[in-house]
Amino acid sequence: MTESDVWRRCVHFLIDAGYQIHCGSPPGSTSYAFKNCILIRGEILDSPDIIFSMDSVIYLCECKATLKKLYEKNRHGENDIDKLRRLVLDAQRGYYNDQLLHNYGVTVNSDTMFRPCICYPGDVSTSSLDCAHMVVTENSVNLILSRAT
C-alpha cells in the first residue's frame, strides 16, 4: 500500500464517519477537493497531510506507507512524530489561530484541543505512541482516538 493509498483511505473514512476535513495535502500532489495544509511559524513552513476535527478537537495528521517511515528524518533533521508534537505544541500556544481561521475557516477558542494523529497500514499494537491512530487495511480504517504510552 502506498502513502497515497493510505491518505485516500483515511480521507474517505473521515468523510464517511462525519469528521470535518479542513485541508488535505496528498503525498506528492495536490487535492482538488481540499485546500493544501500549510502552517507557517516564522521561517518554518509545515504541511501536515490532513487537518480534521470533531467537536472541539483538531487533529494534525501525517500519513505514511509504513509506521517505520514516521521515524525517518526529513531535510530539517526532524521525523514526523517530532514534527507533529512541535505542531501541536505551537497550535496549543495559539501560533496558528489566525491561519486556521483565515485559510480554513477553523475557529480556535479556549475549549479547542489539538492532537497529533498518525495514519499507517498494519496493526496499532505495533505502536505505543500517545496520539490518535488511523490504522489502514485493504478493507477498513480503524480510528483509535487516544493511545496511552
Side-chain angles (χ1 to χ4, degrees):
M1 189 176 306
T2 68
E3 189 172 327
S4 293
D5 293 332
V6 172
W7 184 89
R8 193 175 312 101
R9 289 169 196 245
C10 288
V11 165
H12 288 291
F13 169 81
L14 292 167
I15 291 168
D16 291 346
Y19 286 86
Q20 185 171 1
I21 299 177
H22 303 290
C23 58
S25 301
S29 64
T30 300
S31 167
Y32 296 102
F34 306 104
K35 291 181 178 181
N36 279 334
C37 298
I38 298 174
L39 297 174
I40 301 170
R41 178 164 179 239
E43 299 292 318
I44 301 171
L45 182 144
D46 286 299
S47 183
D49 293 333
I50 306 168
I51 298 177
F52 68 96
S53 67
M54 178 68 83
D55 301 324
S56 62
V57 182
I58 298 172
Y59 297 91
L60 306 176
C61 188
E62 286 292 330
C63 301
K64 293 296 178 196
T66 66
L67 186 60
K68 182 179 177 182
K69 289 192 178 281
L70 287 162
Y71 294 96
E72 293 177 359
K73 296 202 185 280
N74 62 23
R75 65 181 182 270
H76 305 294
E78 182 179 53
N79 66 42
D80 283 333
I81 302 301
D82 293 335
K83 171 181 145 181
L84 285 172
R85 288 179 178 149
R86 176 178 49 77
L87 287 173
V88 165
L89 184 61
D90 286 349
Q92 289 168 338
R93 292 176 175 162
Y95 291 125
Y96 304 124
N97 290 2
D98 287 341
Q99 293 173 60
L100 290 169
L101 178 61
H102 296 296
N103 296 339
Y104 311 112
V106 178
T107 302
V108 177
N109 57 44
S110 61
D111 295 333
T112 303
M113 296 183 340
F114 291 89
R115 292 276 294 152
C117 178
I118 55 176
C119 261
Y120 55 93
D123 181 357
V124 74
S125 65
T126 61
S127 174
S128 62
L129 293 170
D130 183 19
C131 62
H133 293 248
M134 277 193 280
V135 182
V136 179
T137 68
E138 288 297 326
N139 301 314
S140 68
V141 176
N142 184 16
L143 177 60
I144 299 142
L145 294 179
S146 181
R147 173 99 177 166
T149 55

